Amino acid sequence: MSYDNEAEFNQEEKVDVKLWKRLFGYAMRNRALFVRILVTMLIVAIIDAVYPILTRFAIDRFVRPGGDPDMHGIWLFFAIYVALVILQGFGTTRFIGRSGEMEMAISYAIRQEAYLKLQTLSFSFYDKTSAGYLMARMVSDVARLSDMIAWSITDFLWCGFYILFSFGAMFWFNWKLALIVMAVIPPLAVVSLYIQKKILRYQRIARKHNSRITSAFNEGIMGAMTTKTLVREEQNAAEFESITADMRKASVKASVLSATFFPLVVSLGAVGTALALVFGGAGVKATLGGTETFLGVITAGTLVSFINYASSLFDPIQQLAGIFADMQSAQASAERVLSLLDTESDVKDSKEAEEKYGTSMDPKRENWEPIEGDIVFDHVDFYYKESEPLLRDFNLHIHAGETIALVGETGAGKSTIVNLICRFYEPKNGRILVDGKDYRERSQLWLQSSLGYVLQQPHLFSGTIRDNIRFGRPDADEESVRRAAAMVHADSFIERQQKGYDTEVGEGGVRLSTGQKQLISFARVILANPQIFVLDEATSSIDTETEQLIQSAITEVLKDRTSIVVAHRLSTIRNADRILVIRDGAIVEEGNHETLLQKGGYYHDLYMHQYEDDAMQEALK
Ligand SMILES: Nc1ncnc2c1ncn2[C@@H]1O[C@H](COP(=O)(O)OP(=O)(O)OP(=O)(O)O)[C@@H](O)[C@H]1O
Ligand SMILES: [Mg+2]
């Protein structure tokens, strides 16, 4: 998958039929709406094609060139005409509304699917893909595509029906004259397509230069100091001028072509009208004079209707060329959106696991074995990037109910071990056993429902404090929520909030401090009561009062469950049954605090550097 902007500029100019078929498929999901649009467009196009027929009828029936006018039945004709105008006005408002509806339906279908997809994708996907990229795909690309698809469908249906009926009428009136008039269509189509393509190309070039200008601006601003000290102003200005000149050239070309396009197509269409006039006119004259030309009988009404048809022929052709051009220019958006929908997750439940344990949308809880919490790393190899192996032949047995502290320098691999336990990533080689069975033989949901974690940056969802505590157990009653909050001493700060448990935390919990977010996360874990608890302690400093609350909260949460804690606080480390000292993805020392200190090894050094302050504070208490 390429996230490169360049892709848009270097793309093939051919329309990828398969790609568009898939996208138009989203429109077809709402079949009823599609049928309604189809019927509306059929009615509107028929009425458009019927007007010249009415004109023909009026001329030949009432005006009767060459004879006496006869006004018999004019009122009925008038009534029908008015009725058609009203019906068409009605149809027009309907199709505008329905196309809007279709646009929304397509956005909805694509976004729904993408949202589900994003929830199933593994962490490794999010490592490679920025939130900004995903937002741009989900918001602007999808909006652009659904707008384009919905209106292309409407336009395409109108063009199809209009061409069908107007050509049908012309052939019916006089097939020879119809063929003469239609001779302008091939050149019209070729010219339309050719110019549209050219416009697109220059627009693309202009966009490319535009992004170069943006980055030049960026560098210009960022590097202003350097520029000044190196006296490069003049050179930079010259470079910038040349980029902007290129952009101007391309933009002007695109505008000139756009400006030429419409008159050119209209003039070509006028040739059709001229042909109708010349040949048809001669035919009418002959008909009125008595001898027919090779065109057979042509009445004045027929001639007028042909002129009408010929002068509006360019409209559907131009629209069809427009749809084609839109598809070309939106193709890059389409590719990006579809490739996102097609991304396969690195961490996936196997077929067998899904069959037995169900999917995340439809879990078969009745088949789930209860989790004891015994975890084994069995010869595990792991890397994020193949060139940088992190864990090599890593072995570890964590017994059910045990509390393990992982300590080590930054980048040692502590969070990585935790990520593997949570199955956010899977081992590249070897196995991780939970209760004696490779966790890949069971479903992700099975593990993750029995697993509570508080990560380095605790995440809250927008909503109230209560919602956030209940996140893992939405059915929990008020009493249990409050009890959970009290157990981790989160109740006092919550009750101090103006709205108590109904306080909105803001998007991502922005309205709370890191310490408060952690307390709420702990309450969440207590309420969900998982068998396995994972804590990746934050290194950021927190005010002493909250710090103490958090310490006692941690002690509470660690009780009676298998706990893996990436520890930075001395108090947490002391709480652990076993300390594992991690260095470069391997366990270098193991034991409890006292024995490790006495050993005078790496832990001792680490302690001297990192926990000295902590120890000092503790001693002073
Ligand atoms: N998502 C990722 N993609 C690529 N490399 C990563 C990723 N996460 C971590 N790494 C790399 O793996 C190594 C171990 O990282 P890890 O996050 O496990 O360290 P840590 O011990 O938790 O450090 P800290 O104490 O700073 O949290 C580091 O070199 C890091 O750069
Ligand atoms: Mg970490």
Side-chain angles (χ1 to χ4, degrees), residues 1 30 50 148-149 204 216 233 236 239 253-254 261 272 317 330 387 392 443 478 494 517:
M1 192 174 0
N30 198 336
V50 156
M148 205 222 97
I149 294 171
R204 208 145 47 209
E233 287 101 324
N236 281 6
E239 279 170 17
K253 271 200 181 137
F261 180 58
I317 304 288
S387 54
R392 269 167 257 121
S443 72
E478 186 67 21
I494 296 174
K517 280 195 269 190

Side-chain angles (χ1 to χ4, degrees), residues 210-224:
N210 188 32
S211 71
R212 277 175 62 202
I213 290 174
T214 319
S215 66
F217 256 124
N218 225 336
E219 284 194 345
I221 296 165
M222 304 297 229

Side-chain angles (χ1 to χ4, degrees), residues 127 384-385 388 390 408-417 419 425 456 536 539 566 568:
D127 290 340
Y384 294 101
K385 278 177 248 133
E388 296 165 23
L390 203 56
E409 287 174 335
T410 176
K414 304 178 299 287
S415 298
T416 306
I417 294 170
N419 286 338
Y425 298 84
Q456 270 180 326
D536 204 339
T539 36
V566 177
H568 295 289

Side-chain angles (χ1 to χ4, degrees), residues 31 89 123 177 182 203 338 399 473 480 502 543 569 574:
R31 212 160 281 249
F123 275 58
L177 189 56
M182 278 160 60
Q203 279 173 347
L338 286 183
H399 302 276
R473 249 188 71 193
S480 329
D502 291 315
D543 65 274
R569 294 186 184 87
R574 287 208 163 133

Side-chain angles (χ1 to χ4, degrees), residues 253-414:
K253 271 200 181 137
S255 306
V256 168
L257 278 171
S258 297
T260 337
F261 180 58
F262 194 67
L264 197 72
V265 170
V266 174
S267 334
L268 261 173
V271 174
T273 317
L275 287 174
L277 262 174
V278 171
F279 287 93
V284 171
K285 208 168 144 202
T287 307
L288 291 177
T291 34
E292 291 172 7
T293 62
F294 73 100
L295 289 170
V297 179
I298 291 184
T299 65
T302 303
L303 173 62
V304 173
S305 72
F306 264 90
I307 292 169
N308 284 342
Y309 283 131
S311 62
S312 62
L313 257 189
F314 66 87
D315 203 17
I317 304 288
Q318 187 205 343
Q319 280 198 29
L320 287 176
I323 294 175
F324 194 70
D326 275 348
M327 276 160 67
Q328 269 182 342
S329 77
Q331 188 144 305
S333 301
E335 274 163 11
R336 285 189 301 240
V337 169
L338 286 183
S339 74
L340 185 64
L341 295 180
D342 290 342
T343 312
E344 283 289 340
S345 178
D346 288 344
V347 178
K348 253 182 96 177
D349 288 338
S350 67
K351 272 255 150 33
E352 298 79 48
E354 268 188 4
E355 236 157 64
K356 179 160 178 208
Y357 296 89
T359 61
S360 52
M361 291 299 144
D362 177 26
K364 297 182 182 158
R365 286 178 204 272
E366 65 278 8
N367 293 341
W368 289 11
E369 297 93 348
I371 290 193
E372 303 245 331
D374 183 273
I375 300 166
V376 172
F377 279 68
D378 179 26
H379 301 286
V380 170
D381 290 338
F382 182 77
Y383 50 80
Y384 294 101
K385 278 177 248 133
E386 200 160 359
S387 54
E388 296 165 23
L390 203 56
L391 303 188
R392 269 167 257 121
D393 195 26
F394 188 87
N395 293 292
L396 171 64
H397 189 165
I398 305 170
H399 302 276
E402 197 181 12
T403 296
I404 293 283
L406 300 175
V407 300
E409 287 174 335
T410 176
K414 304 178 299 287

Side-chain angles (χ1 to χ4, degrees), residues 16-233:
D16 182 342
V17 181
K18 239 170 77 190
L19 186 95
W20 287 106
K21 221 173 119 187
R22 246 185 91 187
L23 278 170
F24 277 90
Y26 283 100
M28 295 305 151
R29 287 197 189 173
N30 198 336
R31 212 160 281 249
L33 182 59
F34 177 76
V35 170
R36 273 186 285 158
I37 292 180
L38 186 129
V39 172
T40 315
M41 294 328 287
L42 181 66
I43 294 171
V44 170
I46 288 182
I47 297 176
D48 280 331
V50 156
Y51 283 132
I53 301 178
L54 287 181
T55 313
R56 172 178 181 261
F57 178 82
I59 291 171
D60 290 343
R61 175 77 172 71
F62 305 123
V63 183
R64 291 157 50 111
D68 293 328
D70 174 6
M71 289 301 137
H72 203 73
I74 187 89
W75 285 109
L76 179 64
F77 176 83
F78 178 70
I80 291 174
Y81 202 97
V82 170
L84 282 180
V85 170
I86 292 172
L87 185 62
Q88 198 195 28
F90 188 65
T92 307
T93 49
R94 290 315 285 264
F95 87 68
I96 291 174
R98 281 174 180 164
S99 301
E101 235 178 278
M102 178 60 102
E103 188 183 331
M104 291 307 125
I106 297 169
S107 289
Y108 178 79
I110 299 182
R111 289 195 178 131
Q112 188 87 357
E113 193 175 321
Y115 188 75
L116 286 181
K117 187 78 197 189
L118 289 177
Q119 303 225 316
T120 66
L121 287 175
S122 60
F123 275 58
S124 58
F125 171 78
Y126 290 97
D127 290 340
K128 285 178 280 182
T129 318
S130 73
Y133 176 87
L134 291 173
M135 286 303 284
R137 300 299 67 85
M138 288 302 79
V139 179
S140 50
D141 277 345
V142 171
R144 178 172 180 206
L145 286 175
S146 18
D147 172 84
M148 205 222 97
I149 294 171
W151 284 99
S152 295
I153 289 174
T154 310
D155 289 349
F156 185 80
L157 288 174
W158 181 83
C159 292
F161 290 134
Y162 182 76
I163 289 176
L164 199 71
F165 289 107
S166 57
F167 285 16
M170 284 195 279
F171 272 95
W172 178 38
F173 296 153
N174 192 312
W175 66 272
K176 288 177 193 157
L177 189 56
L179 283 178
I180 293 173
V181 170
M182 278 160 60
V184 297
I185 289 176
L188 198 60
V190 169
V191 167
S192 293
L193 265 181
Y194 176 76
I195 298 186
Q196 294 267 30
K197 263 189 159 175
K198 275 232 133 127
I199 294 176
L200 267 183
R201 178 165 325 134
Y202 285 116
Q203 279 173 347
R204 208 145 47 209
I205 294 173
R207 263 207 310 268
K208 184 176 179 173
H209 288 312
N210 188 32
S211 71
R212 277 175 62 202
I213 290 174
T214 319
S215 66
F217 256 124
N218 225 336
E219 284 194 345
I221 296 165
M222 304 297 229
M225 279 285 253
T226 323
T227 309
K228 284 219 183 309
T229 47
L230 296 180
V231 203
R232 266 190 56 108
E233 287 101 324

